[in-house]
Amino acid sequence: MTLRRRCLAVAVGLAAVVVLAGCGKHGSTSSPPGPSGPAGVGTPEPQTNCTKKATDASGLERALSEASSGDVVCVTGDLGDARLKIDKGGSESSPLRVLGDGRTKVKGISVAADNVVVDGFVADEPKAPGASLKGSNITLRNTAINGPRRDDGDGIRFWGSNIRIEHNTITDTRNAKGAHADCMQTFATDDDNPASQDVLIDSNRCEKIDNNCLIVEGPNSEAGDGSGDGETRNITFSNNYCENKAAQAVLIDDTDHAVITGNEIVGDINHAFALQNKATNAVVNGNKARSVRYEVGMDRSSRSGYQGPEPGGAP
């Protein structure tokens, strides 16, 4: 069993203690946004100025293969077992926009491209991860991922730079058949899974999560399976709702400048946030944590530059 699995074992029999965060120092290199409405799926971007339309799997595949910078691909209906796969994006100034209407059903989402916006989809029991994001300048928002299954059971996985994960709802991740089912995760193992940088995770809702709401592992993570190349940094986790069962809601490992603010943690867990293995310059403030023994767990290597409540124990 890897350290990743060992250190995130489910906590049971914990005393219920209410902790209100935000008693530490303030200030950060990041400026997290204020909440833009309740956590979870909101109103998707209107399907206007559509340059391409799709209502079935073959039409979607054709529209994406023909799309280029600035195109708006509007998708409606139930696409059955088709997974939304995007391997060609737009430009930084004119991203490719792929828009559902809030009811558009697909069997998961995979983005392996730069400069892409995905908005307004529903994925019921997709093959995990429910959404996979890999590249730079990717946005996923207003999308529901319900009951991801198989593989490691994760709701969303992401790798790359300038990624925005906003106003999504992820439900019912299960540790079935050896899965380690988190709401969201990134890790850096090789060129195919690079270190993540400048990532905003804001106003999402994680419900019925068997493990963590978020795991961020750098290239030298304690799991011992990272590539050792690059640096994971500038991860902001703000205004999210977390209902989970692991020892903590958020684990930050080998990551510089993580900002954790404005979140609501409701799982019956040991501690809300874990910082380990040189998770330096972290900022923790303004969170609400219920049914936890203490808010922040931290090892000595993560103390440098930390701003937040006094740690109550180990990560």
Side-chain angles (χ1 to χ4, degrees):
M1 180 182 291
T2 67
L3 181 58
R4 177 185 298 145
R5 294 184 186 277
R6 289 200 304 270
C7 70
L8 304 173
V10 174
V12 295
L14 300 178
V17 180
V18 175
V19 178
L20 295 181
C23 55
K25 300 177 182 178
H26 294 273
S28 166
T29 56
S30 301
S31 298
S36 54
V41 172
T43 303
E45 180 178 339
Q47 290 186 326
T48 56
N49 301 316
C50 304
T51 58
K52 300 182 184 299
K53 296 183 178 182
T55 58
D56 57 29
S58 60
L60 177 60
E61 183 178 3
R62 181 170 58 254
L64 292 175
S65 68
E66 296 173 353
S68 58
S69 294
D71 270 335
V72 179
V73 179
C74 297
V75 190
T76 55
D78 185 343
L79 277 70
D81 291 333
R83 190 175 179 97
L84 173 59
K85 296 181 180 180
I86 303 170
D87 55 15
K88 181 177 64 173
S91 66
E92 190 168 348
S93 60
S94 298
L96 171 65
R97 311 178 79 83
V98 184
L99 308 181
D101 63 5
R103 300 179 301 276
T104 305
K105 289 191 175 183
V106 293
K107 277 295 183 182
I109 297 165
S110 296
V111 180
D114 300 335
N115 307 308
V116 174
V117 175
V118 177
D119 191 337
F121 288 86
V122 176
D124 290 329
E125 295 192 0
K127 180 180 178 181
S132 173
L133 314 175
K134 192 178 301 185
S136 63
N137 300 316
I138 299 172
T139 296
L140 174 68
R141 64 190 178 211
N142 297 316
T143 290
I145 298 170
N146 305 315
R149 297 291 182 260
R150 295 183 286 173
D151 193 20
D152 219 21
D154 293 339
I156 299 173
R157 285 186 174 180
F158 60 93
W159 302 269
S161 60
N162 296 310
I163 294 173
R164 300 175 70 95
I165 300 171
E166 303 172 299
H167 280 289
N168 304 289
T169 296
I170 301 92
T171 62
D172 191 24
T173 71
R174 299 183 188 178
N175 291 342
K177 298 182 179 179
H180 187 272
D182 304 297
C183 185
M184 293 177 251
Q185 182 178 18
T186 187
F187 48 87
T189 57
D190 50 37
D191 290 341
D192 288 333
N193 297 318
S196 293
Q197 301 174 354
D198 303 315
V199 176
L200 174 64
I201 302 170
D202 185 77
S203 298
N204 300 282
R205 192 171 184 91
C206 297
E207 298 179 332
K208 300 180 181 179
I209 305 300
D210 266 5
N211 272 291
N212 298 267
C213 283
L214 174 66
I215 302 181
V216 178
E217 293 177 313
N220 297 291
S221 71
E222 285 199 4
D225 54 2
S227 66
D229 297 326
E231 179 186 17
T232 298
R233 63 175 185 266
N234 298 338
I235 310 294
T236 297
F237 188 75
S238 55
N239 307 313
N240 301 287
Y241 176 94
C242 296
E243 177 198 349
N244 74 298
K245 298 178 183 178
Q248 64 279 310
V250 176
L251 172 65
I252 307 295
D253 182 340
D254 183 38
T255 299
D256 190 48
H257 283 103
V259 176
I260 303 170
T261 183
N263 302 288
E264 183 177 2
I265 311 300
V266 302
D268 187 12
I269 57 179
N270 189 38
H271 50 290
F273 312 115
L275 306 172
Q276 67 181 34
N277 186 28
K278 299 181 180 179
T280 52
N281 297 302
V283 176
V284 179
N285 64 45
N287 301 285
K288 296 179 181 180
R290 290 183 274 161
S291 301
V292 299
R293 286 182 174 172
Y294 51 91
E295 185 177 0
V296 177
M298 180 187 295
D299 63 13
R300 293 178 63 87
S301 72
S302 301
R303 286 273 184 173
S304 178
Y306 171 69
Q307 301 176 45
E310 184 65 25

